[in-house]
């Protein structure tokens, strides 16, 4: 296992209810998959059977319902506000050519606003479009006291089939944030999502991506019977999670027309001293751009 920086945070279950590891100040970036221990490699080798085709079709059909039930159970209390976004993604500031320049963003998969509202509070020169798969999550955003229709337009959208152009003008968005969203989508539909996002980006606009990487602790915690395919798993509540490799992610974006700017693993180690746990976290943090001269 790689030697990673350590820090103390709380850990929840494989649903990763609190994305606390991203908020810690220490991390290491790499262009290689982390090495598995013999025990971890053996566990993955044994977990070779996959969920039946019938159940997989049922999960796909009920994907929206399962996420809506997730937000019904957990309300706005499940994820922590992501105040780390502007620190991790300097592009939110660097993409401006002058101080005070207005920025139009799209948060694809906004949930209940844990990333959206900290961004709007921190930067008064942002107008945000925001959408989510779950109608219930969208309602929670609209009910938030910080929601201001003058600075934000939120709407329900299934990125795998709904056309973003129905709610967002073409070529108008400077930055799209795609944070812990693509992993919840069936791999066969990921490229369509990226093409959908591509249509609303300005030439030279970029997608800021962060999501689960292969061999993340959440992937290793799945028990036999939860595997849907390679690096793809289902949780007990019916929501799904895919764990990306750097190469696969790059291929998805390039095939959808993007230029790769940055694409790398973020390696962390989560320590819970109270429970005596020390676990590896693996994320992918990337930036892809709509090429100049394209529209």
């Amino acid at each position: 296992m790689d030697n990673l920086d350590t820090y103390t945070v709380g850990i929840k279950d494989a649903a990763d209810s609190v994305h606390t590891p991203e908020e810690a100040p220490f991390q290491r970036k790499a262009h290689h998959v982390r090495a598995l221990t013999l025990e971890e490699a053996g566990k993955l080798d044994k977990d070779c059977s996959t969920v039946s085709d019938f159940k997989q079709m049922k999960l796909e059909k009920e994907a929206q319902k399962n996420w809506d039930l997730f937000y019904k159970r957990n309300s706005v209390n499940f994820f922590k506000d992501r105040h780390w976004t502007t620190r991790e993604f300097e592009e939110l500031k660097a993409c401006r050519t002058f101080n005070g320049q207005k920025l139009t963003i799209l948060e694809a998969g906004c949930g209940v606003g844990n990333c959206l509202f900290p961004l709007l509070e921190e930067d008064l020169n942002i107008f945000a479009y925001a959408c989510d798969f779950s109608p219930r999550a969208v309602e929670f955003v609209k009910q938030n006291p910080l929601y201001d229709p003058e600075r934000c337009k939120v709407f329900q959208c299934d990125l795998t089939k709904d056309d973003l152009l129905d709610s967002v003008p073409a070529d108008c968005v400077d930055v799209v944030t795609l944070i812990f969203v693509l992993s919840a989508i069936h791999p066969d539909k990921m490229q369509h999502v990226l093409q959908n996002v591509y249509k609303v980006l300005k030439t030279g606009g970029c997608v800021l991506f962060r999501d689960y990487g292969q061999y993340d602790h959440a992937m290793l915690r799945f028990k036999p019977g939860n595997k849907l395919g390679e690096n793809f798993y289902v949780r007990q509540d019916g929501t799904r999670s895919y764990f990306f490799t750097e190469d696969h992610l790059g291929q998805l974006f390039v095939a959808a027309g993007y230029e790769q700017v940055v694409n790398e693993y973020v390696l962390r180690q989560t320590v819970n001293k109270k429970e005596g746990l020390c676990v590896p976290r693996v994320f992918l943090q990337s930036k892809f751009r709509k090429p100049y001269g394209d529209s």
Side-chain angles (χ1 to χ4, degrees):
M1 184 182 298
D2 296 326
N3 292 320
L4 308 178
D5 295 307
T6 59
Y7 48 90
T8 302
V9 295
I11 304 174
K12 290 199 176 181
D13 60 17
D16 285 299
S17 54
V18 178
H19 292 305
T20 42
E22 298 94 307
E23 298 180 1
F26 304 110
Q27 65 185 26
R28 178 183 169 192
K29 296 183 179 181
H31 289 284
H32 57 84
V33 178
R34 80 170 187 89
L36 293 173
T37 65
L38 291 176
E39 181 181 357
E40 290 169 339
K43 179 180 182 299
L44 290 179
D45 286 341
K46 291 178 182 178
D47 189 12
C48 55
S49 61
T50 57
V51 171
S52 69
D53 290 343
F54 173 79
K55 184 175 180 180
Q56 296 218 33
M57 288 189 290
K58 186 173 186 290
L59 287 169
E60 180 64 20
K61 183 179 179 180
E62 298 178 350
Q64 184 181 72
K65 183 183 78 172
N66 288 332
W67 276 108
D68 222 40
L69 289 172
F70 170 89
Y71 286 111
K72 181 179 181 180
R73 287 191 301 270
N74 297 290
S75 182
V76 298
N77 303 313
F78 200 71
F79 299 107
K80 295 182 67 176
D81 282 350
R82 294 168 178 164
H83 295 283
W84 49 266
T85 311
T86 52
R87 183 187 71 237
E88 294 291 343
F89 291 114
E90 290 294 329
E91 289 84 355
L92 286 169
K93 296 179 180 178
C95 65
R96 291 182 168 96
T97 56
F98 58 88
N99 289 334
Q101 180 181 354
K102 297 290 184 180
L103 200 65
T104 300
I105 71 170
L106 166 65
E107 187 181 1
C110 63
V112 297
N114 298 103
C115 179
L116 174 67
F117 291 120
L119 272 180
L120 292 175
E121 281 189 290
E122 185 170 331
D123 194 330
L124 298 179
N125 291 310
I126 283 180
F127 177 85
Y129 293 97
C131 64
D132 199 86
F133 193 27
S134 164
R136 192 180 301 273
V138 169
E139 285 305 308
F140 278 132
V141 172
K142 290 180 177 179
Q143 293 166 13
N144 192 305
L146 296 175
Y147 181 68
D148 180 0
E150 296 296 318
R151 298 195 59 211
C152 177
K153 176 184 177 181
V154 63
F155 56 98
Q156 192 276 331
C157 181
D158 179 351
L159 292 168
T160 68
K161 62 181 181 181
D162 298 334
D163 193 340
L164 275 172
L165 293 180
D166 291 339
S167 301
V168 183
D171 310 315
C172 80
V173 174
D174 298 289
V175 177
V176 175
T177 58
L178 202 59
I179 301 176
F180 295 100
V181 172
L182 203 62
S183 58
I185 292 168
H186 193 286
D188 291 347
K189 298 183 177 182
M190 289 178 181
Q191 190 169 330
H192 176 78
V193 171
L194 300 181
Q195 292 168 336
N196 202 0
V197 167
Y198 191 92
K199 294 182 290 187
V200 302
L201 266 178
K202 293 179 180 178
T203 297
C206 62
V207 175
L208 304 182
F209 177 94
R210 191 176 179 99
D211 218 320
Y212 301 112
Q214 187 182 45
Y215 303 151
D216 178 62
H217 176 63
M219 176 179 172
L220 299 174
R221 287 191 64 185
F222 281 106
K223 296 178 180 179
N226 292 296
K227 188 173 183 178
L228 301 174
E230 184 177 6
N231 296 335
F232 193 36
Y233 296 83
V234 60
R235 303 184 182 100
Q236 289 184 348
D237 63 3
T239 63
R240 298 166 297 177
S241 187
Y242 186 86
F243 298 84
F244 293 92
T245 64
E246 178 186 305
D247 288 344
H248 180 229
L249 183 67
Q251 290 168 7
L252 280 173
F253 271 92
V254 171
Y258 296 83
E259 292 178 341
Q260 179 173 302
V261 181
V262 177
N263 186 23
E264 56 194 358
Y265 294 103
V266 176
L267 306 177
R268 299 180 181 276
Q269 194 169 47
T270 296
V271 177
N272 186 316
K273 294 181 179 179
K274 182 178 180 180
E275 297 184 21
L277 295 175
C278 179
V279 297
R281 302 310 312 266
V282 182
F283 307 105
L284 271 170
Q285 183 164 308
S286 312
K287 175 184 177 181
F288 296 90
R289 181 168 54 210
K290 183 174 183 176
Y292 289 98
D294 200 0
S295 61

